């Protein structure tokens, strides 16, 4: 908001963070915000409220996410008890996080020909994935890397075990021009020249496919007036495993479409807002009291220590490999940490710039998000995309072709309420099937074959060059777009 205000040469709020949503049980009517410098609490009334706060990678110990990605946007939506979070157990790990910091080494390194080497500098990915090698999907490469380390083939340093990313073969010119950011990261954070030296890497949490459940407009189905866009939303662009580069497409598309939807909603009768301002005042008082209680409590727990224990629990038990026993342990540990978080004590009760106070109220909410991930992973007894269960290694379309919906029943609760939303395969443009490599080891839903047959019948009489007609038969969508965006998409080479 401050960036936009500066660009428009207008005064705007700076260093403000939303700490709650205001609502009447059906309609979101704004947000409660806190000034990080002064501690001031302000209520903002609005026809539409959009959460675009990114993911929640910092519930894990090592993440490529920025340190601010603690999931507060999703958390304040969850705390309404009305809005739901979708597919929270779908958490993606990127194969090449710089070790030990977790800073992202772009997929372009491997896409351009970079290799993964073990401690003996042996290229190991073709041993596991002969067809795709380093270019297999992120979840597969991450699992193979961790398996290889567990088998004793990692490189060992004082920071722990890792593997190597080798882009030396690409040459200095290629790295200086095509992978310049990679070179700068290596220089600034590792003190090495990647054209001459190997890069230490290990998988790190990268992307959250789960988030605030929305419809195609970015609108919450449960709480009217609440919108979400980008990684903070679950609007089903990615399913359980985002493909590389699709977050950029999501950002561009969501930024445009959700923005249009918010404007249309605000101008429509549905978006009209008539509220008792006392409602927002009460939400503001409630949040102020919550913060005063935390600041004034003489508890025995340390917010930073609880955050560390949460991150270690999630990394050890709800990471790349998941198993029922470890997930049960994680759920129980997080429940204990939630209870302990109610007894946090601060050394400073300063109302303004107080990092300890910020950590105290944020860890309570981060624990709720972590529990949504862990409990959702425990309940989903299959492997799907980035969610991999050692004890249930097969994808089970027959039982689990459904979306997880998590809601939080109240302040004293220590588990989310999970519900499931069935997916209609007969409406899908591409029915679930084999991913194109690896074992064809999954339990198929009978509707998948029926849908494939229906698609074949729909397309058999259509001209293959007429993309628009084929799309209209497979999955009509133009009627969902604003009128000015309903023209055919053009590709390079198409006639103007």
């Amino acid at each position: 908001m401050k960036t936009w205000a500066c660009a428009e040469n207008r005064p705007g709020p700076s260093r403000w963070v939303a700490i709650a949503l205001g609502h009447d049980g059906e309609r979101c009517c704004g947000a409660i915000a806190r000034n990080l410098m002064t501690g001031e609490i302000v209520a903002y009334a609005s026809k539409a409220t959009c959460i675009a706060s990114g993911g929640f990678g910092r519930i894990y110990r090592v993440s490529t996410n920025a340190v601010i990605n603690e999931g507060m946007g999703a958390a304040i939506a969850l705390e309404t008890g009305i809005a739901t979070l979708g597919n929270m157990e779908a958490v993606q790990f990127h194969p090449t996080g710089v070790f030990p910091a977790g800073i992202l080494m772009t997929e372009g390194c491997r896409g351009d020909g970079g290799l993964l080497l073990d401690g003996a500098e042996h290229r190991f990915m073709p041993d596991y994935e002969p067809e795709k090698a380093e270019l297999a999907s992120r979840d597969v490469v991450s699992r193979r890397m961790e398996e290889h380390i567990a088998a004793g083939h990692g490189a060992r340093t004082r920071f722990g075990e890792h593997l190597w990313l080798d882009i030396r073969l690409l040459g200095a010119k290629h790295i200086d021009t095509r992978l310049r950011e990679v070179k700068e990261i290596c220089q600034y954070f590792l003190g090495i020249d990647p054209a001459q030296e190997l890069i230490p890497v290990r998988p790190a949490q990268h992307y959250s496919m789960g988030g605030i459940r929305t419809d195609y407009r970015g609108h919450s189905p449960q709480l009217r007036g609440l919108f979400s866009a980008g990684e903070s939303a679950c609007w089903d662009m990615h399913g359980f495993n985002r493909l590389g580069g699709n977050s950029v497409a999501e950002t561009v598309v969501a930024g445009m479409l959700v923005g249009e939807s918010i404007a249309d909603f605000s101008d429509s009768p549905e978006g009209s807002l008539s509220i008792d301002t006392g409602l927002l005042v009460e939400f503001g008082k409630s949040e102020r009291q919550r913060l005063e209680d935390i600041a004034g409590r003489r508890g025995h727990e340390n917010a930073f220590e609880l955050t560390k224990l949460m991150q270690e629990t999630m990394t050890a038990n709800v990471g790349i490999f998941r198993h029922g026993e470890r997930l049960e342990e994680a759920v129980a540990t997080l429940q204990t940490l939630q209870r302990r978080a109610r007894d946090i004590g601060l050394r400073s009760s300063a109302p303004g710039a107080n990092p300890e106070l910020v950590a105290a109220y944020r860890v309570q909410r981060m624990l709720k998000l972590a529990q949504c991930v862990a409990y959702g992973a425990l309940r989903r007894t299959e492997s799907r995309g980035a969610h991999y269960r050692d004890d249930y290694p097969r994808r089970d379309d027959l039982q689990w072709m459904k979306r997880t919906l998590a809601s939080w029943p109240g302040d004293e609760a220590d588990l989310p309420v999970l519900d499931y939303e069935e997916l209609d395969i007969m409406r899908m443009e591409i029915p679930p099937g084999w991913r194109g490599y690896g074992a064809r080891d999954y339990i198929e839903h009978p509707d998948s074959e029926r849908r494939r047959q229906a698609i074949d019948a729909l397309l058999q009489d259509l001209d293959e060059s007429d993309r628009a007609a084929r799309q209209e038969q497979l999955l009509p969508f133009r009627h969902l777009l604003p009128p000015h965006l309903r023209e055919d998409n053009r590709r390079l080479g198409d006639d103007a």
Side-chain angles (χ1 to χ4, degrees), residues 394-397 432-434 439-444 452:
R394 303 175 74 190
R395 193 184 85 209
D396 187 351
D397 292 347
W434 180 49
R440 295 177 180 262
D441 188 20
Y442 60 93
I443 301 171
E444 188 170 56
R452 279 191 285 270

Side-chain angles (χ1 to χ4, degrees), residues 180-450:
R180 185 174 58 195
E181 182 180 282
V182 169
K183 180 178 180 178
E184 291 174 352
I185 290 171
C186 288
Q187 289 175 331
Y188 295 151
F189 295 96
L190 295 171
I192 65 171
D193 178 359
Q196 303 294 328
E197 301 172 74
L198 298 173
I199 307 169
V201 293
R202 188 162 184 171
Q205 190 282 342
H206 180 57
Y207 192 87
S208 310
M209 278 73 73
I212 300 166
R213 178 71 185 123
T214 74
D215 61 16
Y216 66 93
R217 301 172 298 172
H219 200 175
S220 167
Q222 297 90 16
L223 191 57
R224 187 163 53 92
L226 175 64
F227 292 78
S228 186
E231 192 175 353
S232 62
C234 176
W235 72 331
D236 280 356
M237 179 172 178
H238 308 299
F240 259 64
N241 199 26
R242 178 172 74 78
L243 298 178
N246 273 10
S247 62
V248 177
E250 180 181 41
T251 300
V252 174
V253 173
M256 175 176 63
L257 291 183
V258 178
E260 294 255 4
S261 296
I262 290 172
D264 291 343
F265 174 83
S266 299
D267 287 342
S268 71
E270 182 189 13
S272 63
L273 184 64
S274 177
I275 62 167
D276 179 356
T277 54
L279 177 67
L280 281 175
V281 170
E282 286 304 313
F283 271 99
K285 287 181 178 178
S286 175
E287 290 306 306
R288 184 178 292 108
Q289 188 61 53
R290 183 207 293 247
L291 295 176
E292 289 176 355
D293 289 346
I294 293 173
R297 189 183 301 126
R298 294 292 179 259
H300 301 89
E301 298 290 349
N302 182 290
F304 299 105
E305 180 63 25
L306 294 181
T307 301
K308 179 182 176 183
L309 291 172
M310 172 196 65
Q311 292 170 333
E312 290 177 347
T313 297
M314 294 300 292
T315 299
N317 296 332
V318 200
I320 295 172
F321 293 97
R322 300 170 177 180
H323 188 281
E325 291 181 2
R326 293 197 299 274
L327 291 170
E328 288 176 354
E329 179 184 336
V331 168
T333 299
L334 292 170
Q335 287 176 308
T336 299
L337 293 177
Q338 285 174 267
R339 290 190 289 270
R340 291 175 61 182
R342 297 171 190 149
D343 189 38
I344 290 175
L346 306 185
R347 285 167 291 184
S348 169
S349 58
N354 188 341
E356 194 178 24
L357 175 61
V358 172
Y361 71 72
R362 284 184 179 177
V363 71
Q364 294 176 346
R365 289 166 168 165
M366 292 171 75
L367 283 164
K368 291 177 182 177
L369 295 182
Q371 192 64 277
C372 288
V373 176
Y375 193 49
L378 175 63
R379 291 278 297 272
R380 184 172 285 272
T381 51
E382 64 155 357
S383 291
R384 181 177 297 277
H387 167 69
Y388 184 80
R389 293 270 307 248
D390 284 330
D391 49 346
Y392 293 95
R394 303 175 74 190
R395 193 184 85 209
D396 187 351
D397 292 347
L398 188 61
Q399 300 296 329
W400 284 105
M401 187 54 63
K402 57 186 72 173
R403 184 183 299 109
T404 306
L405 299 178
S407 59
W408 203 264
D411 290 340
E412 299 303 314
D414 58 11
L415 280 178
V417 173
L418 298 186
D419 197 4
Y420 294 94
E421 189 177 354
E422 298 283 346
L423 302 183
D424 186 359
I425 293 175
M426 296 306 292
R427 295 180 59 200
M428 292 183 180
E429 182 177 12
I430 302 175
W434 180 49
R435 70 191 308 173
Y437 60 93
R440 295 177 180 262
D441 188 20
Y442 60 93
I443 301 171
E444 188 170 56
H445 194 289
D447 282 353
S448 294
E449 181 56 32
R450 285 197 283 269

